[in-house]
Amino acid sequence: MTQAVPAAGWGGALLGLAASLVLALYGFRAQHRPGTVRTGQLRAATSVMAGGAVLSMAALETALLTDNFAMSYVAETHARATPLLFTITSAWSGLGGSIVLWTLVLAGYIFVAGRNLTGADDRLGTGALGVMGLVAAFFFGMVTTVANPFKILATPPMDGPGPNPLLRNDIMVAIHPPLLYLGFVGFTVSFAYAMSALVLRRGGVDWLVRTRRANLVAWTFLTAGLIVGAWWSYEVLGWGGYWAWDPVENAALIPWLVATAFIHSSVVQVKRGMLQAWNFVLALATFALTILGTFLTRSSVVASVHSFTQSGVGPALLGFLVVVLVAGFTLFALRGEDIATRTRSLRLGSREGLFLVNNLLLCLFAFVVLLGTLYPIFVEALSGGQVSVGRPFFDRMAVPLSFALLLAMGAGPFTPYRWATPGLLWTRLRVPLLLGSAAAAVVTVAGLRSVGAVAVVFLAVTISSASVRQLLVAAPNRRPRGLWRLVTGQRAYWGGQLAHLGVAVVAVAISVSGATTNRATVTLAPGQTAQFAGYTVTLETTEQHVEPDRTLRDAHFVFREDGQAVWTAEPRLETFVNQPQAVGTPTVWSTAGRDIYVALAQLTPENVTVNLYRYPLMSWLWVGGFMIAAGGGWALTGKRRGRLERSTAETAPPAEAKAGA
């Protein structure tokens, strides 16, 4: 049993590798010589691949749950005292296990893609399966070699260090990585179909229509993963924020920005037949950036709160990234002339024009974040020196880009295709602009003095009210049933509007919170008090608790308002068994209007130093983030469109455009 489980896990990965190679071989053969391979053979390969991935993950979990320290991964990432939940999540908290999870998710996407094959003569689909087979072969190959978590130790330890302390004190570690993986890996599908279409010299929208659902699934999960990751950082890391421009966080944001541009530009191509070559570039770039993000996370080339240790995985991923970029863009260069869109005039004052502006801004945003993330690596590689690109650079570049994106996002959905007259735009945006101006005036009178925050409130209210107006004008009637019929009949459009509303809410939360945050650092002995943000803060006592897997030291602060106790904060330091490094865990009091955030800086027997924050509208950030993800989910709930015409109809503007209102 001790050696059987690791052997079964490695055998599952080997089975997945063999099935991947067979799928690649069959897929490319079927693409070039339809009829030589049966559909059942392709689907059987995807099933075997999925079975191998499931077997590997099952073996990994079994080894963790049975304390099988003869297996290298268990010895490095597990401890006997680790609670059950974090024992399960340890399967993806280490380097080798995270690659096993990657293969499992990838095999799932490929399995679904195999079921969507229309037949053995489906050359676009079989070619895409061939590309996906090659990608899967690379990742299964890593599991069987440089990232092998199933190595058997000659001298197993009696116990292990346990998972990283930062990954064992919050339930979101069970959610955040799988969400990101479902997002990252999903973009393999659009990449594979794009490459297959290029090989066939087949332009058009077929590959976009067939990958639309996979793109939305991946984008929705990646959005949710980013939000949960930011929330986890806020609740766990104790640095008093949700986004520190950490290189690993940036590694997930960059492909999200490019994928967002891809989803928007694909609508323009399906609707107007434009931006065809651009969409191939975006599909390729999105996939390449997910590989780059994986490389940054797992190669230890960047210092991060959650990067992995140095191993052979980094060079392997870097080599794979080079192959993807060289092969992908070479193929695009060779086929570009064949798939280029016929020339059409594109006016800025049209929906497709604003979508293109939106695309360019998103890509510029991604480039800025990429530059700030990679610059220190290039400097160190070329000169040996060490530099850091801090928050001021990112903020200085991101703020103006964000304003421009809000402007483009606000006007785009309400601008008709081909051309919008100023009179039509004024009709559609007059009332929203008035409401936005009124909101900006109200918050200014209420005391908000930041010009940037007031401008964001103006834009956010304008965007939101424009969506509401569109809903009321376009609905067959304004009763709930009529509104429901509209949003269920055009799910793609209204899913996009929900996502835009979420972006507006997030923008307001970030700008207002950033402009009006209160911060203080105080040192108190038991019984002493301090004043903060209208509260009297008293350190009551400090305590120490010993649990099977950790020792907790916490401080009890009582917050009083007008003499009445309203909240007790209990921030703590945790020291885990076999992990000498203490981890601080803040405590947060959230309401709809503000958060009070308390994080320990130092705890001694004589006194306690604590960082206090008051963040207005912080809870709006999470609500807005999940509204963005929900928008993607709502767009996904629409009926599958088997015919292109029906698919394009779903992306058409609502009825108001026809009415010319």
Side-chain angles (χ1 to χ4, degrees):
M1 183 69 177
T2 301
Q3 297 188 3
V5 172
W10 192 78
L14 200 61
L15 189 64
L17 174 60
S20 304
L21 293 173
V22 169
L23 180 65
L25 178 65
Y26 280 0
F28 290 128
R29 180 189 291 178
Q31 185 187 46
H32 290 284
R33 287 184 293 174
T36 58
V37 178
R38 295 193 301 275
T39 306
Q41 291 175 303
L42 291 163
R43 289 177 175 167
T46 65
S47 299
V48 173
M49 182 195 304
V54 170
L55 179 58
S56 287
M57 181 53 76
L60 194 58
E61 291 287 8
T62 301
L64 287 165
L65 292 169
T66 57
D67 300 329
N68 189 343
F69 289 99
M71 201 168 90
S72 59
Y73 185 82
V74 178
E76 293 165 1
T77 62
H78 179 56
R80 293 182 185 276
T82 304
L84 176 62
L85 173 64
F86 299 112
T87 296
I88 295 172
T89 61
S90 294
W92 50 81
S93 66
L95 183 58
S98 68
I99 304 297
V100 172
L101 179 60
W102 190 290
T103 61
L104 179 64
V105 175
L106 179 58
Y109 275 109
I110 295 175
F111 180 84
V112 175
R115 265 56 196 169
N116 289 333
L117 204 63
T118 59
D121 58 347
D122 176 9
R123 298 181 68 194
L124 182 63
T126 54
L129 284 177
V131 175
M132 285 187 263
L134 288 179
V135 174
F138 170 76
F139 282 99
F140 277 111
M142 281 210 300
V143 174
T144 57
T145 55
V146 293
N148 180 10
F150 303 108
K151 296 175 188 169
I152 298 174
L153 301 177
T155 310
M158 294 301 295
D159 202 352
N164 184 327
L166 291 172
L167 303 179
R168 57 195 295 192
N169 62 349
D170 193 281
I171 193 173
M172 279 188 277
V173 72
I175 306 169
H176 169 54
L179 288 176
L180 281 182
Y181 282 47
L182 285 164
F184 263 44
V185 178
F187 292 114
T188 306
V189 178
S190 55
F191 166 75
Y193 271 88
M195 293 300 101
S196 180
L198 285 175
V199 169
L200 294 172
R201 291 186 170 88
R202 185 184 296 180
V205 299
D206 194 17
W207 72 279
L208 287 175
V209 172
R210 295 183 64 173
T211 59
R212 174 183 171 274
R213 296 181 71 83
N215 292 334
L216 281 176
V217 168
W219 184 87
T220 300
F221 279 118
L222 184 55
T223 303
L226 285 170
I227 294 300
V228 171
W231 199 358
W232 173 79
S233 299
Y234 180 71
E235 295 276 356
V236 173
L237 294 182
W239 60 31
Y242 49 86
W243 198 268
W245 297 107
D246 178 83
V248 174
E249 291 174 328
N250 293 347
L253 176 64
I254 296 166
W256 182 86
L257 290 167
V258 179
T260 305
F262 176 46
I263 287 174
H264 283 81
S265 64
S266 65
V267 173
V268 174
Q269 184 180 339
V270 171
K271 181 64 182 173
R272 294 276 291 136
M274 308 170 85
L275 307 180
Q276 183 163 278
W278 178 240
N279 279 321
F280 279 106
V281 171
L282 289 180
L284 202 167
T286 301
F287 176 72
L289 288 169
T290 64
I291 302 301
L292 175 64
T294 311
F295 164 73
L296 292 174
T297 309
R298 287 159 180 79
S299 63
S300 75
V301 298
V302 295
S304 167
V305 294
H306 43 9
S307 58
F308 292 95
T309 56
Q310 192 170 9
S311 73
V313 171
L317 284 167
L318 186 59
F320 184 60
L321 175 63
V322 171
V323 170
V324 167
L325 289 173
V326 171
F329 281 108
T330 299
L331 183 60
F332 175 76
L334 294 173
R335 299 289 196 265
E337 187 176 352
D338 298 320
I339 52 89
T341 312
R342 66 184 186 277
T343 303
R344 277 189 177 185
S345 60
L346 188 151
R347 294 177 172 178
L348 183 60
S350 64
R351 183 178 296 195
E352 55 267 36
L354 289 173
F355 272 26
L356 180 60
V357 171
N358 168 286
N359 255 240
L360 296 176
L361 290 170
L362 285 167
C363 291
L364 180 59
F365 202 149
F367 174 76
V368 167
V369 180
L370 183 67
L371 180 65
T373 304
L374 296 184
Y375 178 72
I377 301 173
F378 288 145
V379 170
E380 185 172 358
L382 296 176
S383 66
Q386 291 191 339
V387 298
S388 62
V389 177
R391 182 164 187 161
F393 165 79
F394 289 106
D395 287 349
R396 194 177 303 122
M397 302 301 292
V399 169
L401 286 171
S402 299
F403 275 112
L405 275 169
L406 279 174
L407 279 170
M409 186 189 78
F414 312 107
T415 305
Y417 286 103
R418 294 182 178 83
W419 177 241
T421 63
L424 179 62
L425 282 178
W426 175 246
T427 299
R428 293 183 175 183
L429 296 176
R430 178 181 55 204
V431 174
L433 285 170
L434 289 173
L435 291 174
S437 300
V442 168
V443 297
T444 302
V445 171
L448 186 62
R449 292 292 180 265
S450 167
V451 175
V454 172
V456 169
V457 170
F458 165 74
L459 288 172
V461 173
T462 301
I463 293 169
S464 304
S465 53
S467 292
V468 173
R469 177 194 172 276
Q470 190 82 358
L471 178 65
L472 296 176
V473 171
N477 62 68
R478 296 181 182 179
R479 295 176 181 175
R481 188 173 180 179
L483 299 175
W484 180 249
R485 282 183 56 194
L486 179 65
V487 297
T488 54
Q490 295 175 323
R491 293 174 188 249
Y493 180 84
W494 290 107
Q497 289 307 296
L498 179 58
H500 287 178
L501 287 175
V503 171
V505 172
V506 167
V508 169
I510 291 175
S511 60
V512 174
S513 176
T516 58
T517 294
N518 300 111
R519 298 182 177 85
T521 299
V522 298
T523 299
L524 300 174
Q528 291 184 332
T529 63
Q531 299 297 318
F532 174 72
Y535 297 99
T536 300
V537 185
T538 305
L539 173 61
E540 295 284 334
T541 184
T542 61
E543 294 181 352
Q544 178 169 311
H545 310 276
V546 178
E547 296 183 356
D549 66 323
R550 72 188 77 184
T551 298
L552 297 91
R553 292 184 297 152
D554 50 35
H556 295 243
F557 293 91
V558 175
F559 282 65
R560 290 184 173 84
E561 189 173 23
D562 299 328
Q564 298 295 319
V566 292
W567 181 50
T568 299
E570 297 178 350
R572 63 181 186 269
L573 295 175
E574 300 181 58
T575 306
F576 292 88
V577 174
N578 302 330
Q579 297 273 7
Q581 177 190 359
V583 176
T585 301
T587 184
V588 184
W589 178 22
S590 292
T591 67
R594 58 97 186 98
D595 277 13
I596 299 295
Y597 186 103
V598 183
L600 283 179
Q602 188 176 25
L603 192 156
T604 69
E606 293 77 25
N607 53 48
V608 177
T609 301
V610 66
N611 294 316
L612 304 171
Y613 305 85
R614 178 180 178 277
Y615 293 116
L617 304 186
M618 181 55 69
S619 57
W620 290 29
L621 177 60
W622 318 126
V623 172
F626 287 110
M627 285 173 64
I628 300 172
W634 183 251
L636 270 169
T637 59
K639 293 180 180 178
R640 296 176 65 88
R641 304 291 182 180
R643 298 176 57 191
L644 173 62
E645 292 80 4
R646 298 178 66 184
S647 179
T648 56
E650 191 174 12
T651 62
E656 186 194 12
K658 300 173 184 176

